[in-house]
Amino acid sequence: MSAAAKEKLIFAPKDGQYATSTLTSTDLSPSPLTQFHTWYTAAQSHAIHQPETTTLSTAHLPSGRVSARTVYLKELDTRGFVVYSNWDTSRKAADVASNPRAALTFHWREMERQVRVEGATERLTEEESQVYFDTRIRGSRIGAWASRQSVGIEGRDVLEGWVREVEERFKDQEKIPVPPFWGGLRIVPDYVDRPSRLHDRFAYTRDSIDSDAWKIQRLSP
């Protein structure tokens, strides 16, 4: 074995052949949002574990450093894809503040399907975020207030102390207001791509996020 080969900790792991289905442009909805809803519903019926799981990618300017993390899609509306988080102290908050664009990647392994979304970001209003916030269990609502996401702390006892402070603050309140620094972020797409090992790959593009006219184009894999 060569010295170069010995240095590789992982090399060419085995993969399978992907041949579940094919895709043509006539199979697609004119809107990527309705098409995504169709695929998401199919993923649910295939018993795929948490098909709302997605990778949210952001990039900071001017450095251009990219970061990614796994989050859950919580809403899909006629404008875009919505995730919820801390938008004050987190790294993604700093990224979006400097560069208001983001990308989502969904991978549904059992269906051999991947969907990529790129677009501009916009914060939901406090009223919109409150609607979702009210569906969370009390502990999650307390945690949203207590967490200084991504801030360094000396130990878990610091976090637990913040939680106790918030619990005391809201001890007699069932209705907890959504924190001003926490809420929904909508990714308004201008590009949606369905890449595939099947070599059936299509992209939705539009000239602006305010346009209802989408162009569907087959791409080379």
Side-chain angles (χ1 to χ4, degrees):
M1 182 180 294
S2 68
K6 291 179 181 178
E7 294 176 357
K8 301 180 187 296
L9 299 180
I10 298 175
F11 177 70
K14 293 182 179 179
D15 59 8
Q17 297 300 312
Y18 297 85
T20 296
S21 63
T22 59
L23 185 68
T24 67
S25 60
T26 57
D27 297 323
L28 298 174
S29 166
S31 166
L33 298 173
T34 55
Q35 184 61 55
F36 180 87
H37 181 250
T38 298
W39 281 339
Y40 179 82
T41 302
Q44 289 180 308
S45 67
H46 275 70
I48 291 176
H49 181 63
Q50 295 181 319
E52 65 273 21
T53 304
T54 183
T55 300
L56 170 65
S57 301
T58 55
H60 193 276
L61 294 178
S63 70
R65 293 187 63 172
V66 178
S67 62
R69 73 288 295 161
T70 301
V71 299
Y72 293 124
L73 177 74
K74 291 299 183 181
E75 299 176 29
L76 174 70
D77 57 29
T78 56
R79 187 161 172 80
F81 302 76
V82 179
V83 299
Y84 284 83
S85 188
N86 177 303
W87 301 106
D88 181 23
T89 58
S90 66
R91 179 171 177 181
K92 56 184 165 299
D95 287 355
V96 170
S98 71
N99 174 26
R101 291 188 61 82
L104 297 171
T105 303
F106 297 84
H107 180 218
W108 300 318
R109 176 182 176 275
E110 295 81 357
M111 297 177 68
E112 299 177 3
R113 179 167 288 154
Q114 181 183 161
V115 179
R116 297 169 53 232
V117 178
E118 299 174 11
T121 62
E122 58 185 28
R123 282 285 304 274
L124 269 62
T125 65
E126 184 175 308
E127 291 75 19
E128 289 174 308
S129 293
Q130 185 71 55
V131 173
Y132 167 70
F133 194 66
D134 289 343
T135 70
R136 293 165 63 94
I137 62 173
R138 185 177 180 84
S140 294
R141 287 176 284 160
I142 294 294
W145 273 99
S147 176
R148 281 74 158 170
Q149 194 174 90
S150 301
V151 172
I153 57 177
E154 294 182 1
R156 185 176 177 82
D157 58 322
V158 175
L159 177 59
E160 291 175 347
W162 290 341
V163 169
R164 286 193 296 271
E165 290 174 3
V166 177
E167 287 176 336
E168 178 65 23
R169 176 179 176 181
F170 295 114
K171 68 177 182 179
D172 296 322
Q173 293 182 230
E174 177 56 34
K175 178 78 170 183
I176 300 176
V178 64
F181 53 83
W182 191 96
L185 184 80
R186 181 184 289 112
I187 295 87
V188 184
D190 52 27
Y191 181 90
V192 180
D193 179 13
R194 188 270 199 184
S196 171
R197 289 290 297 275
L198 299 174
H199 293 199
D200 289 324
R201 181 180 177 189
F202 290 88
Y204 288 84
T205 58
R206 58 180 175 176
D207 293 334
S208 76
I209 61 175
D210 296 317
S211 172
D212 292 327
W214 289 91
K215 177 183 177 182
I216 302 175
Q217 182 178 25
R218 179 181 282 271
L219 301 180
S220 172

